[in-house]
Amino acid sequence: MLNTINKSPFANNSFETSSRFFQPGDPILFIEDGVYAVQANNKFSNTLRDILKNNPVYALGPDLNARGISEITAGVKSIGYEGFVELVEDHQVNSWL
Amino acid sequence: MEEFEDDEIVKKIMHVMREAPHGTIYTYEGLEMILIMAAYDQDISVAFIDDGVYALKKGQNTEDIEIKGFAKTFGALDGYDVEKLYVDQISLEERGLNEDDLVVDVEVLNSAEIGKLMAEQDLVVHH
Amino acid sequence: MNIGILLKEGPYNHQAADTAFKFAEAAIKKGHTIDAVFFYNDGVINATKLMDPPQDDRHIADRWKNLCQKHGVQILACVAAAKRRGINDDVLIDCGTITGLGNLTDIAIRNDRLITFGD
């Protein structure tokens, strides 16, 4: 199942909570304010590195650009809306709001 | 005809309550959605996670804020054939609550168990 | 693939309406069918034609109207949520429909995916 997270992890616990429910192999996609989670060298970088051992992690490029985030945690892939659609082609979606 | 065909498909639909009940309308309108979907003979479950567990707390009295209370409706969901109510154990414990504090019988499950159930769903809707 | 979209947040206040639209656009471009966009909660405010943003801003109601008129996407607002918020047929965008949650259930059942956007 594709998990999307749209909240800044600094303001909301949706990333922290959702990560308890991820299944191995589930892709994680950060969108909207969620993308602040993947900025390189923030306090979530270590958590993300752990998650990346079992789950592919993506961030929506247009949302990164909009927020001036150019460096992202190693292993996280930036994708566009087409990439978002491709993930949806392969997975049911669990949109954490 | 199309509706007739739809009737033969049973999807596993999980509703996730993650917001506290009265500060926003999400839980209440979420409940309205659950009640309608239940009428369509789908395989419905509801998971209460984070502040969502507060929707089930006993002793809610909304009279003075003039917002319609709905804890009792959650308590009566089995009357609508919605019998799968799951509560996230950590969320309950973090809030100093236990099963006795809730208006309805639920299954308290750990994250791994709820995660596994989520993975089995055709559809997960967060409210 | 057939896809339904559930939009639970109003326009402008939150990015959800924008992301939902960009997703729908990209999915259509890739050859998928967006069966319907269903507005719920404050999402029903997406359905008002009274929306009148400044000229240099995107017009969110027009986006939905165009998806409906050009790509046959059903633009639906939940009647119970709409009534609460003063959205009725008088203010409804062209090509939009006010409908019930039963219709959302049908959309959930008949499509391969139902994707939620919201706050």
Side-chain angles (χ1 to χ4, degrees):
Chain A
M1 191 162 276
L2 168 66
N3 292 270
T4 68
I5 296 158
N6 74 340
K7 297 292 190 309
S8 164
F10 297 97
N12 187 291
N13 69 350
S14 67
F15 174 38
E16 189 192 332
T17 292
S18 62
S19 64
R20 292 198 276 116
F21 301 93
F22 296 160
Q23 301 292 295
D26 275 359
I28 319 302
L29 170 62
F30 292 97
I31 65 172
E32 299 168 359
D33 285 349
V35 299
Y36 286 116
V38 307
Q39 179 166 321
N41 306 315
N42 71 10
K43 76 168 186 178
F44 297 97
S45 302
N46 286 330
T47 312
L48 277 173
R49 270 190 283 275
D50 281 342
I51 290 172
L52 278 159
K53 288 174 191 161
N54 295 308
N55 302 84
V57 180
Y58 305 88
L60 203 56
D63 283 328
L64 290 169
N65 295 339
R67 289 161 179 80
I69 303 171
S70 51
E71 286 189 44
I72 61 178
T73 300
V76 177
K77 264 195 193 163
S78 169
I79 59 172
Y81 291 104
E82 329 75 58
F84 187 175
V85 174
E86 282 160 18
L87 286 170
V88 169
E89 289 168 3
D90 295 336
H91 303 273
Q92 293 291 346
V93 187
N94 190 352
S95 309
W96 293 83
L97 300 180
Chain B
M1 190 63 200
E2 190 174 70
E3 280 191 359
F4 177 72
E5 283 171 11
D6 282 352
D7 286 346
E8 294 169 353
I9 304 170
V10 177
K11 288 206 169 182
K12 289 171 86 81
I13 302 174
M14 178 183 278
H15 294 269
V16 178
M17 302 313 209
R18 257 190 74 233
E19 302 286 334
H22 312 300
T24 60
I25 200 171
Y26 299 114
T27 310
Y28 181 62
E29 287 192 323
L31 179 60
E32 291 190 332
M33 188 186 289
I34 291 167
L35 293 173
I36 299 292
M37 286 195 173
Y40 280 68
D41 296 328
Q42 300 299 296
D43 182 356
I44 305 269
S45 57
V46 189
F48 299 85
I49 297 173
D50 285 343
D51 282 350
V53 302
Y54 287 133
L56 300 181
K57 194 177 174 309
K58 279 181 185 163
Q60 297 178 48
N61 180 351
T62 59
E63 204 180 307
D64 290 345
I65 62 170
E66 295 190 20
I67 292 175
K68 199 166 139 193
F70 48 87
K72 282 201 178 72
T73 314
F74 273 114
L77 275 177
D78 60 338
Y80 298 86
D81 288 327
V82 179
E83 286 151 1
K84 296 172 183 168
L85 306 182
Y86 308 120
V87 168
D88 174 47
Q89 189 174 10
I90 289 180
S91 301
L92 205 56
E93 287 172 2
E94 280 177 342
R95 286 162 181 77
L97 301 173
N98 63 54
E99 274 185 82
D100 295 336
D101 296 309
L102 307 181
V103 293
V104 62
D105 285 339
V106 296
E107 264 185 84
V108 179
L109 302 177
N110 65 37
S111 316
E113 291 167 321
I114 293 181
K116 213 170 147 244
L117 288 167
M118 277 179 174
E120 293 170 4
Q121 303 300 313
D122 296 306
L123 174 59
V124 178
V125 182
H126 287 245
H127 294 285
Chain C
M1 181 170 274
N2 296 313
I3 301 171
I5 289 176
L6 172 62
L7 176 54
K8 288 166 53 65
E9 208 60 42
Y12 303 105
N13 204 52
H14 190 278
Q15 201 188 338
D18 297 280
T19 308
F21 172 75
K22 299 297 265 182
F23 176 87
E25 210 180 34
I28 290 166
K29 210 168 170 188
K30 284 181 72 70
H32 299 295
T33 300
I34 303 291
D35 176 30
V37 179
F38 190 97
F39 302 141
Y40 198 52
N41 303 129
D42 276 1
V44 296
I45 299 166
N46 281 277
T48 170
K49 65 180 176 195
L50 301 182
M51 204 181 287
D52 188 17
Q55 289 260 317
D56 60 351
D57 200 354
R58 77 275 192 221
H59 195 302
I60 292 180
D62 278 357
R63 282 175 166 180
W64 301 127
K65 188 179 71 181
N66 289 337
L67 269 189
C68 184
Q69 290 175 341
K70 292 184 185 154
H71 299 283
V73 178
Q74 299 180 77
I75 301 297
L76 307 172
C78 167
V79 60
K83 285 182 84 153
R84 274 197 187 103
R85 294 162 178 88
I87 303 295
N88 61 19
D89 284 329
D90 295 339
V91 301
L92 189 68
I93 54 173
D94 290 346
C95 211
T97 307
I98 293 178
T99 184
L101 284 167
N103 201 352
L104 175 68
T105 312
D106 277 333
I107 290 163
I109 294 170
R110 69 172 175 254
N111 285 284
D112 302 302
R113 300 282 184 275
L114 179 69
I115 307 171
T116 309
F117 295 91
D119 186 11

